[in-house]
Amino acid sequence: MKRFFILFVYIFMFLGITIAAEPKFVVVIDAGHGGKDGGAVRGIYKEKDINLGVAKTLGELIEANFNDVKVVYTRKTDVFVDLDKRTQIANKAKANLFISIHTNSTASKTTNASGADTYILGLARSAENLEVAKRENSVILLEDNYTSKYEGFDPNSTESYIIFEFISNKYMEQSLQFADYVQKDFKNIAKRTDRGVRQAGFLVLRKTSMPSVLIELGFINNQAEAKYLSSRLGQRAMATAIYSGFKKYKREFDKKQGRYVAAPDKNEEIDDIAVGEAIIKDKAVIQDTYAVEKVDTPVAKESARVKNMVEVPKKREQSPKKIGETPKKETEPSAKTEKAATRNISNQTEYRVQFLVSPKKLSDNSKEFKDLSPVSFYRDGSSYKYTYGSTTDYNEIIKIQRQVRAKFKDAFVVKFKNGERIK
């Protein structure tokens, strides 16, 4: 009996070590271009900046919600990285997935083309796809010794792309699956035009040893899309859509590895500020969709001017209540009260979860709140918008959001500063 017990302990310890040593899923996120390579540029808009903004936001979403995933970036700052170096980073990390993020353009100064598409490696079957590959591959001309490094490949020569017809990509099925997930969520979450999954010969995908895709977020020479993709809201929406596709792909990956995977809750949504929902449900966010963060740019000044002309002037909002605070009689707060209530967050961004909109003011113990307490509200035109929770920690508000969604499946995160809702 004693020997059996000792044997059992050894087996348990061995299994424990095996489980602990199980490698993480590795995703490499590649922000296209950078440094001396601006990518496609139209006026104040630069592809390299858009790509980096979306890439970093995507990585943050994955890191915040997956403990068993390691995120590796090919760049996190505005630096130039050779195409072959990006591939080497992915292969060295033994990545399970490679996501290269880019922004599309056409040869003309402006275009009416719009929407996002996702490419997998292969021979371009259309002139349009070939032109996209030529533009993205032309970055090698900025590299030293590119002729020898890429075996005489000429990015501007159609003949050079014949090599992609003979490439056997054993990861094509997985790449296609992920690309399909992403495209559907560009449409469903980010509400962008779905241009579909395509094939073309991209050097950055050529020697990757894992499922790989190259994403074109939209057209930088389409003025509306350029503004959208340069805004924080637009970048978060696009990153959220890619993250949603990643979550579905990772679930299927785990199933194939024989791991237990809980069935997705039908009410499960993206664990983010739910940008897609906000764009559709909140007029204030719709009005702010094309706002640019840098207020000193001509486009941002013009956006602000137009916005001030069309928006209904904001009425004074109620000061935020903190979780655990004893509910007080609902009265319109004075300026002094608002100042005192916001002093503790010291000008930091405050997060709350918005769960209900009402045309009238509700009592503290209203059944409409489904036992959420205490709640706060703020005025937006003639509407009363109710929120729950208050924190400056983004990860904490995501946890609160999950709790609220058990009662209100459409609840989403909103931001405040000094008691004022910010977009």
Side-chain angles (χ1 to χ4, degrees):
M1 184 68 181
K2 184 177 180 181
R3 290 180 179 177
F4 177 77
F5 177 75
I6 292 174
L7 179 62
F8 176 79
V9 171
Y10 277 128
I11 293 174
F12 180 80
M13 290 175 62
F14 174 77
L15 289 175
I17 293 172
T18 302
I19 293 172
E22 184 176 348
K24 287 188 174 184
F25 183 103
V26 179
V27 56
V28 173
I29 303 176
D30 172 43
H33 307 281
K36 62 183 179 181
D37 172 27
V41 179
R42 291 296 188 279
I44 64 171
Y45 305 115
K46 296 181 180 179
E47 179 185 356
K48 66 175 183 177
D49 296 335
I50 294 172
N51 300 343
L52 184 59
V54 173
K56 290 173 68 174
T57 303
L58 171 61
E60 290 166 2
L61 283 170
I62 295 173
E63 289 172 329
N65 294 283
F66 284 91
N67 294 326
D68 62 337
V69 175
K70 179 181 179 182
V71 177
V72 176
Y73 301 87
T74 58
R75 70 179 181 98
K76 292 188 73 175
T77 57
D78 184 18
V79 295
F80 179 77
V81 182
D82 291 357
L83 279 190
D84 64 333
K85 177 66 174 177
R86 297 168 191 264
T87 301
Q88 290 170 17
I89 291 172
N91 291 338
K92 184 177 180 180
K94 297 181 179 180
N96 301 99
L97 183 65
F98 179 79
I99 307 172
S100 189
I101 298 174
H102 292 258
T103 306
N104 214 338
S105 70
T106 64
S108 60
K109 185 175 180 180
T110 61
T111 182
N112 291 323
S114 65
D117 37 28
T118 303
Y119 285 84
I120 61 173
L121 185 65
L123 182 66
R125 301 296 178 183
S126 72
E128 181 184 2
N129 292 3
L130 178 60
E131 289 306 311
V132 173
K134 284 183 176 181
R135 182 175 62 79
E136 298 296 1
N137 291 335
S138 65
V139 64
I140 68 172
L141 301 178
L142 299 175
E143 300 178 21
D144 296 329
N145 303 319
Y146 73 87
T147 302
S148 58
K149 284 170 63 177
Y150 299 100
E151 303 163 351
F153 183 89
D154 180 357
N156 296 317
S157 170
T158 302
E159 287 74 20
S160 288
Y161 289 83
I162 297 298
I163 63 171
F164 293 100
E165 185 173 8
F166 306 104
I167 291 177
S168 176
N169 185 2
K170 65 179 180 178
Y171 299 105
M172 179 176 289
E173 183 178 345
Q174 298 99 309
S175 300
L176 183 60
Q177 181 186 47
F178 177 66
D180 186 56
Y181 286 147
V182 170
Q183 281 303 125
K184 287 179 180 176
D185 286 326
F186 277 146
K187 179 180 178 180
N188 297 333
I189 292 176
K191 310 303 177 186
R192 311 310 293 167
T193 299
D194 176 12
R195 288 171 50 84
V197 178
R198 303 174 178 226
Q199 276 188 290
F202 294 99
L203 289 176
V204 75
L205 302 182
R206 179 186 173 192
K207 293 185 178 181
T208 53
S209 301
M210 74 289 301
S212 308
V213 302
L214 186 145
I215 294 170
E216 296 284 359
L217 299 167
F219 289 83
I220 202 168
N221 57 332
N222 178 316
Q223 184 74 356
E225 283 209 324
K227 289 180 181 179
Y228 175 77
L229 294 173
S230 297
S231 71
R232 181 57 179 161
L233 177 64
Q235 290 176 11
R236 186 172 289 279
M238 300 304 285
T240 299
I242 301 170
Y243 166 73
S244 178
F246 172 82
K247 184 161 61 173
K248 294 169 187 172
Y249 180 85
K250 176 65 165 53
R251 181 180 286 120
E252 291 303 312
F253 176 89
D254 288 342
K255 286 181 180 178
K256 291 176 182 177
Q257 298 299 310
R259 302 190 186 104
Y260 170 75
V261 179
D265 189 324
K266 65 179 181 179
N267 293 327
E268 181 182 349
E269 301 288 345
I270 301 305
D271 294 332
D272 187 33
I273 299 183
V275 184
E277 297 174 1
I279 292 173
I280 299 305
K281 296 177 182 178
D282 194 321
K283 292 182 180 179
V285 177
I286 294 174
Q287 291 173 345
D288 198 45
T289 296
Y290 295 130
V292 180
E293 271 195 304
K294 296 180 180 180
V295 297
D296 58 342
T297 65
V299 173
K301 290 177 180 179
E302 178 62 13
S303 297
R305 185 185 70 81
V306 174
K307 184 177 177 182
N308 289 334
M309 290 173 60
V310 300
E311 276 193 332
V312 177
K314 292 183 179 179
K315 295 188 178 180
R316 191 166 57 214
E317 298 170 343
Q318 185 188 24
S319 58
K321 295 180 181 178
K322 308 296 186 290
I323 298 176
E325 179 180 314
T326 303
K328 298 179 181 179
K329 183 178 180 181
E330 291 185 351
T331 57
E332 290 294 330
S334 64
K336 183 177 180 180
T337 302
E338 288 184 329
K339 184 177 181 180
T342 58
R343 185 180 299 138
N344 290 334
I345 62 174
S346 304
N347 248 356
Q348 297 182 57
T349 298
E350 175 198 6
Y351 299 101
R352 308 183 203 172
V353 177
Q354 182 172 311
F355 63 94
L356 182 67
V357 177
S358 174
K360 63 180 181 179
K361 191 174 181 181
L362 302 174
S363 62
D364 279 339
N365 58 355
S366 172
K367 292 182 180 180
E368 297 287 335
F369 300 151
K370 298 182 181 179
D371 296 326
L372 285 182
S373 179
V375 301
S376 300
F377 73 90
Y378 66 97
R379 294 286 299 275
D380 185 4
S382 60
S383 298
Y384 291 80
K385 298 189 175 183
Y386 287 86
T387 65
Y388 177 78
S390 174
T391 178
T392 57
D393 185 337
Y394 177 73
N395 291 328
E396 181 63 24
I397 202 63
I398 290 301
K399 295 177 182 178
I400 296 173
Q401 182 192 31
R402 291 171 182 161
Q403 297 170 7
V404 176
R405 281 187 171 174
K407 300 175 183 287
F408 300 87
K409 67 177 182 179
D410 295 324
F412 59 94
V413 177
V414 289
K415 296 189 291 184
F416 287 78
K417 184 169 286 188
N418 295 330
E420 295 284 326
R421 166 80 187 274
I422 58 175
K423 313 299 191 304

